[in-house]
Amino acid sequence: MKEEELNLITKLKKSPFCRRHYYKKGDALINQGCCDGHLYLLEDANISVAYHSISGKRYTISYETDFTGILGEMEIFRDEEESVFSIFAEHKSQCYIIDRKHITECITQDPQIAISLLKIISSRYENSITQAMKRILYPLKYNIIDTLLQKSQHSHDGWFDLHVTKNSTLLGSSSRSYRRILKALLDQNLILKQGKKYQIIDKNSLVNELKNSDI
């Protein structure tokens, strides 16, 4: 899916309707409840996805580091363009945007664009449901180990950053509880820590831990 999404970004950036958009840290690229009507093409961006309750409390749902992909794709295919979530920039950067009218024209000229967008929507929906079910059905330790394994898989040299406060928030846990489990894994010599970076040293034991937690 990632390759197809990258190819779609490359294709859309060639459109005469595509324009550069600059943003700074803290800017809302997409606002919950607002009709933005744009497709965002991001490359190597740090973003957070949040949901605001009726009372106004903000819940961070996920963080993405070095995110390259498309945002706003669901609103393109909905009659009501209002976004369900807000997406915030975690650093200063730039992206490319195309408004709904012109992306519709691009789809008319090349229907494959619509198919690619629908594949992206389907893939993200499946991933979000999977993550939600893990958080609901499995204990905190399971989700921490799952996070460690995923981050290790995507690291270049085995070492990866782990932001305890952000990750504990995503799991609805306190930072203290999160750190307690990390310390237990360190004491068991399953992972290493240097500064704010971690490395897995016994992957098999961690994988077995997940298997033994199966419901």
Side-chain angles (χ1 to χ4, degrees), residues 45-62:
N46 293 346
I47 58 174
S48 61
V49 181
Y51 177 81
H52 294 83
S53 67
I54 296 176
S55 64
K57 186 174 181 179
R58 172 177 167 178
Y59 296 90
T60 300
I61 298 172
S62 68

Side-chain angles (χ1 to χ4, degrees), residues 81-97:
E81 299 176 43
E82 294 184 2
S83 178
V84 179
F85 303 105
S86 292
I87 298 179
F88 296 94
E90 294 295 319
H91 70 165
K92 178 182 178 182
S93 190
Q94 64 179 31
C95 64
Y96 292 86
I97 61 175

Side-chain angles (χ1 to χ4, degrees), residues 25-86:
K25 182 178 180 180
D27 282 354
L29 299 177
I30 295 177
N31 273 304
Q32 178 182 328
C34 294
C35 301
D36 180 85
H38 288 88
L39 200 66
Y40 291 80
L41 315 178
L42 276 66
E43 296 181 30
D44 300 323
N46 293 346
I47 58 174
S48 61
V49 181
Y51 177 81
H52 294 83
S53 67
I54 296 176
S55 64
K57 186 174 181 179
R58 172 177 167 178
Y59 296 90
T60 300
I61 298 172
S62 68
Y63 290 95
E64 295 282 353
T65 303
D66 299 325
F67 173 81
T68 295
I70 295 173
L71 298 177
E73 72 286 347
M74 291 186 67
E75 289 73 18
I76 295 295
F77 292 100
R78 293 169 56 192
D79 290 334
E80 297 180 2
E81 299 176 43
E82 294 184 2
S83 178
V84 179
F85 303 105
S86 292

